[in-house]
């Protein structure tokens, strides 16, 4: 559906296994920006090219008019059909340098971030033709300029895209939603990124990957809600994860001496703050 003067939203449904016999229905939004050429923001899961191409035909456009595919980040629901779409259209693939390894080597991503059904969701690796960072511009033929904002936290190279001509801000997965699972590698960076999105002037449409389009007063509310989600989750983790009782359970599970010292509580807390370094700790113990 058309959501602003130049932007069309395409909702791509998919399924995830969440344990034996449990399937979760999800969706991801891709965005098509119509200039004299077309810029596609995010590729959806493997097979999404069918929905993208048929939408283009229905709206009087053609797949080979896609000049650029911008990936907000490397995760499977954004990258899945990228290789197929690139092969079919010859488009330029654009992403932040910090996402390169996982975009260009999906087996590496599957090992380092083993999302269920990874290889069903992702058709394959794709080469990035152009790297962008915050402050860069993606020109779309037809006089449209897309400003790149670096909004890390959800992933190191997550980017958001601002189309001033439409008052539109495309945020990928940078803003966590109330009532959904918060997903980010770096909570503090997520907070800083959301605050930077709040500084973007004259945004009338907020377009995220996992949310319905937000407009008018909903824009600032949705960004504020994202900050609140992170704060609440942080407080809950600290309450549940670093408390003495949780620590006692951890100690029992590991068969360690059955008493809890404040320094051991601190150790639990240190583990909670490990974030991306968890892999390093596990590897060292092998
Ligand atoms: Zn993501």
């Amino acid at each position: 559906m058309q959501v602003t003067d130049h932007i069309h939203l395409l909702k791509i449904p998919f399924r995830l296994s969440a344990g034996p016999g449990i399937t979760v229905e999800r969706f991801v939004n891709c965005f098509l920006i119509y200039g004299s050429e077309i810029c596609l923001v995010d590729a959806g899961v493997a097979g999404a090219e069918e929905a993208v191409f048929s939408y283009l035909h229905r709206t009087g456009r053609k797949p080979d008019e896609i000049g650029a595919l911008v990936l907000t980040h490397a995760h499977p629901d954004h990258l899945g059909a990228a290789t197929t779409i690139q092969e079919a259209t010859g488009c330029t693939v654009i992403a932040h340098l910090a996402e390169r390894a996982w975009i260009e080597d999906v087996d590496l991503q599957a090992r380092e971030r083993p999302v269920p059904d990874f290889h069903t969701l992702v058709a394959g690796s794709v080469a990035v033709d152009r790297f962008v960072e915050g402050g860069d511009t993606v020109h779309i033929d037809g006089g449209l300029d897309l400003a790149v904002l670096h909004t890390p936290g959800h992933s190191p190279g997550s980017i958001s895209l601002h189309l001033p001509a439409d008052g539109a801000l495309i945020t990928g997965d940078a803003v966590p939603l109330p009532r959904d699972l918060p997903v980010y590698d770096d909570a503090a960076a997520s907070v800083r990124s959301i605050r930077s999105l709040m500084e973007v002037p004259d945004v009338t449409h907020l377009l995220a990957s996992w949310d319905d389009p937000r407009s008018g007063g909903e824009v600032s509310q949705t960004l504020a809600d994202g900050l609140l989600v992170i704060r609440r989750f942080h407080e809950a983790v600290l309450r549940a994860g670093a408390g003495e009782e949780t620590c006692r359970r951890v100690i029992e599970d590991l068969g360690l001496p059955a008493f809890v010292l404040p320094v051991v509580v601190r150790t639990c807390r240190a583990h909670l703050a490990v974030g991306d370094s968890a892999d390093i700790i596990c590897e060292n113990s092998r």
Side-chain angles (χ1 to χ4, degrees):
M1 68 172 168
Q2 186 167 1
V3 289
T4 69
D5 284 350
H6 300 94
I7 303 178
H8 297 244
L9 178 157
L10 199 54
K11 201 178 218 184
I12 310 288
F14 64 96
R15 289 181 172 166
L16 271 184
S17 303
I22 306 169
T23 304
V24 179
E25 305 274 349
R26 293 208 66 108
F27 69 88
V28 65
N29 293 327
C30 299
F31 298 97
L32 289 151
I33 306 173
Y34 283 13
S36 57
E37 67 169 351
I38 293 166
C39 173
L40 172 63
V41 178
D42 287 331
V45 296
E49 67 278 2
E50 281 184 35
V52 172
F53 295 165
S54 97
Y55 184 85
L56 290 172
H57 287 302
R58 283 205 307 281
T59 52
R61 305 295 296 252
K62 296 196 202 76
D64 63 10
E65 292 179 67
I66 299 177
L69 165 59
V70 183
L71 299 171
T72 59
H73 60 293
H75 291 163
D77 46 335
H78 305 259
L79 173 65
T83 181
T84 323
I85 291 170
Q86 201 283 330
E87 271 173 33
T89 66
C91 65
T92 301
V93 177
I94 300 172
H96 192 279
L97 182 62
E99 302 291 297
R100 178 184 200 165
W102 284 5
I103 293 171
E104 297 193 342
D105 184 352
V106 296
D107 293 330
L108 176 74
Q109 181 179 170
R111 284 197 302 277
E112 293 187 343
R113 190 174 185 268
V115 169
D117 305 323
F118 184 94
H119 288 288
T120 310
L121 298 173
V122 180
S125 306
V126 69
V128 179
D129 302 300
R130 181 186 164 196
F131 296 104
V132 288
E133 51 190 61
D136 286 347
T137 301
V138 174
H139 299 286
I140 304 169
D141 284 353
L144 294 174
D145 281 345
L146 203 52
V148 176
L149 296 97
H150 185 206
T151 47
H154 178 74
S155 71
S158 279
I159 53 172
S160 297
L161 301 157
H162 179 213
L163 185 65
D166 288 20
L169 192 55
I170 299 174
T171 54
D173 291 344
V175 185
L177 299 168
R179 295 174 298 282
D180 203 349
L181 289 173
V183 181
Y184 36 74
D185 291 342
D186 185 331
S190 278
V191 168
R192 284 193 294 273
S193 291
I194 295 169
R195 288 191 179 137
S196 75
L197 292 170
M198 288 170 149
E199 300 292 312
V200 180
D202 304 322
V203 176
T204 49
H205 299 274
L206 190 72
L207 305 172
S209 302
W210 291 358
D211 196 13
D212 292 331
R214 302 291 166 188
S215 57
E218 293 175 327
V219 172
S220 56
Q221 186 61 52
T222 305
L223 293 170
D225 285 349
L227 289 179
L228 198 59
V229 166
I230 296 173
R231 200 187 84 200
R232 284 194 179 139
F233 198 75
H234 185 69
E235 288 167 355
V237 167
L238 290 192
R239 264 200 315 275
E244 193 166 308
E245 196 44 50
T246 307
C247 198
R248 191 182 303 279
R249 281 202 299 276
V250 170
I251 285 169
E252 282 173 11
D253 284 352
L254 294 175
L256 300 173
F259 57 86
V260 177
L261 298 173
V263 286
V264 184
V265 176
R266 282 177 64 91
T267 310
C268 290
R269 192 172 290 146
H271 277 280
L272 288 170
V274 156
D276 286 350
S277 304
D279 285 348
I280 296 167
I281 293 169
C282 295
E283 275 166 18
N284 281 345
S285 65
R286 275 180 203 139

